[in-house]
């Protein structure tokens, strides 16, 4: 007589599954800010490894030809009076947002420079490669109550690649973007045109076309806790008058915002918009954000510089404000979560099972929802393009290499700043 809970078939005994066995829950990471309020974690000062440019047709160039120079108007106490509506929509060429670029441009840079990486290409094993914008979203997640996100995660030869995937909610919002919001997006790019010149020492020319395909991108390395990072982000301009010519400390971030008229408006600005400005600039080590405040008619009525390292002072005593330690501790926890859960390394060089890490936001769940992991078979979500799988070999035949992310190694060796000579056009 067979014992209960087993069955006999073809001479083999199999243990039956318990009837009350539940599906194993997917790994998750809580986002409650109170859980990450400890001391500020170690973050290595970012250093620039190189750069690349994208032209008016969104074509890649491994140089600084798209770099622009900070050229603000004279500070004589008068309003800049920049007309941010000028040229809209006749002189506006927006980037095709239907094209999902993923990590393509960054990986193309990596393919061209893998032999020049400090310590050799072997140090990439265990590192995370992504865009600065993806890290920015991670930093702000504990305080985000509206927008969710989804990241495709792929491990290849030990390196973790993170690339954002457009969520269904984000796609609907993009396709139904109201005309006013589209015009406000144009105003941000138009402000850059008023504040930047093609060469140092000359005045900006705002009469040309605003083409958002054009971009100058810096490639940087850093380390958060024990997590090496290689990431890239778009740079608005370089300040030729900066005290240091070493990138990224000579870069400037440009922003626009509506004009403030009450303490309540300023408080909301400091709590929400300044948080995103801080995260975006702190990660790559950009020291200053220059903001143009516009009136309802679309004219810039004032300029204000926000030093990145002083932004927290605006909310330090605000009980409902944000805390840089929370942001960075959550990001470090996320990187540990991703490294420990995204373990499938595909040596076959073909897209296979991919991990998708999601934060739903309040659109699909309550605020403070945890980050969750799921798996899918979807080559469209794959963050690494075919050129990486077919050509990039990150193994190190020489064995162990020095760790280029060691906190004592503060100076870059074996590479030059991505900075054109004074008086010359980049590229």
């Amino acid at each position: 007589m067979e014992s209960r809970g087993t069955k006999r078939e073809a001479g083999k005994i199999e243990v039956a599954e318990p009837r009350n066995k539940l599906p194993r829950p997917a790994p998750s990471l809580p986002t409650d800010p109170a859980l990450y309020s400890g001391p500020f974690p170690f973050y290595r000062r970012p250093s620039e490894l190189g750069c690349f440019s994208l032209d008016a047709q969104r074509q890649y160039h491994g140089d600084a030809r798209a770099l622009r120079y900070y050229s603000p108007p004279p500070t004589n106490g008068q309003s800049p009076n920049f007309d941010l509506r000028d040229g809209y929509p006749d002189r506006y060429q927006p980037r095709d947002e239907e094209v999902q670029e993923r990590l393509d441009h960054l990986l193309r840079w990596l393919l061209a420079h893998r032999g020049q990486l400090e310590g050799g290409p072997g140090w990439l094993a265990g590192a995370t490669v992504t865009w600065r914008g993806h890290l920015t979203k991670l930093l702000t997640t504990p305080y985000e109550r509206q927008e969710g996100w989804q990241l495709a995660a792929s491990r290849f030869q030990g390196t973790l690649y993170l690339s954002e995937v457009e969520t269904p909610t984000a796609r609907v919002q993009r396709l139904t973007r109201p005309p006013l919001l589209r015009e406000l997006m144009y105003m941000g790019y138009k402000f850059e045109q008023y504040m930047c010149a093609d060469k140092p020492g000359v005045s900006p020319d705002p009469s040309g076309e605003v083409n958002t395909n054009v971009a100058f991108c810096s490639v940087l390395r850093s380390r958060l806790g024990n997590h090496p990072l290689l990431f890239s982000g778009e740079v608005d301009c370089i300040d030729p008058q900066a005290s240091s010519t070493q990138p990224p400390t000579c870069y400037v971030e440009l922003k626009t915002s509506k004009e403030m008229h009450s303490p309540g408006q300023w408080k909301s600005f400091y709590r929400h918009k300044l948080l995103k400005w801080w995260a975006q600039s702190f990660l790559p080590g950009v020291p200053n954000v220059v903001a143009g405040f516009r009136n309802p008619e679309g004219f810039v009525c004032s300029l204000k510089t926000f030093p990145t390292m002083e932004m927290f002072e605006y909310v330090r005593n605000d009980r409902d404000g944000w805390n840089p330690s929370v942001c960075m501790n959550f990001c470090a926890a996320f990187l540990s979560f991703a490294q420990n859960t995204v373990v499938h390394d595909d040596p076959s060089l073909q897209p296979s099972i991919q991990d998708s890490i999601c934060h739903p936001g309040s659109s699909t769940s309550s605020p403070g929802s945890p980050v969750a992991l799921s798996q899918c078979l979807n080559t469209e979500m794959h963050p690494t393009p075919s050129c990486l799988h077919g050509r990039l070999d990150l193994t190190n035949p020489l064995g162990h290499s020095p760790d280029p992310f060691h906190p004592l190694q503060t100076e870059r060796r074996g590479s030059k700043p991505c900075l054109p000579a004074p008086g010359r056009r980049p590229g």
Side-chain angles (χ1 to χ4, degrees), residues 392-410:
L392 181 57
D393 182 7
L394 300 179
T395 57
N396 181 11
L398 299 180
H400 177 71
S401 297
D403 178 11
F405 297 95
H406 193 281
L408 297 181
Q409 294 177 288
T410 57

Side-chain angles (χ1 to χ4, degrees), residues 53-72:
S53 297
L54 303 176
D55 64 20
Q57 287 74 44
R58 205 65 179 175
Q59 296 301 304
Y60 174 95
H61 302 273
D63 52 37
R65 69 182 65 191
L67 179 61
R68 295 176 296 179
Y69 295 83
Y70 182 59
S71 181

Side-chain angles (χ1 to χ4, degrees), residues 2 72 107 172 199 275 308:
E2 295 182 8
L107 293 176
V172 170
K199 299 178 182 179
L275 165 60
T308 303

Side-chain angles (χ1 to χ4, degrees), residues 114-167:
R114 63 189 185 277
Q116 303 169 19
L117 297 175
E118 182 180 354
W123 67 261
L124 271 177
T128 300
V129 175
T130 190
W131 288 108
R132 183 265 312 268
H134 303 349
L135 294 174
T136 298
K137 289 192 175 184
L138 293 176
L139 261 65
T140 60
T141 292
Y143 299 102
E144 180 57 60
R145 296 296 180 264
Q146 298 296 328
E147 300 177 0
W149 48 259
Q150 183 176 4
L151 294 174
S154 178
R155 186 178 293 281
F156 180 68
Q157 296 184 354
T159 304
L160 183 66
Y161 297 88
L162 298 176
S163 180
E164 186 172 17
V165 177
E166 186 177 44
T167 64

Side-chain angles (χ1 to χ4, degrees), residues 73-82 259 293-295 299-303:
T75 55
N76 52 14
Q78 296 182 355
S79 169
N81 207 37
F82 298 151
E259 190 179 16
F293 291 92
R294 65 179 187 275
N295 61 24
F299 286 84
V300 174
C301 50
S302 64
L303 299 174

Side-chain angles (χ1 to χ4, degrees), residues 330-362:
F330 172 79
C331 188
F334 172 88
L335 293 174
S336 295
F337 170 80
Q339 290 284 357
N340 292 330
T341 54
V342 182
V343 295
H344 180 78
D345 196 319
D346 186 7
S348 67
L349 311 182
Q350 295 296 329
S352 59
I353 296 176
Q354 299 305 305
D355 293 292
S356 176
I357 306 175
C358 309
H359 175 56
S362 62

Side-chain angles (χ1 to χ4, degrees), residues 173-189:
Q173 291 175 345
R174 174 173 61 82
L175 295 177
T176 60
R177 190 176 290 153
L180 177 58
L181 183 54
R182 291 198 294 267
E183 188 174 26
L184 288 175
M185 293 174 63
Y186 170 83
M187 290 182 180
Y189 291 107

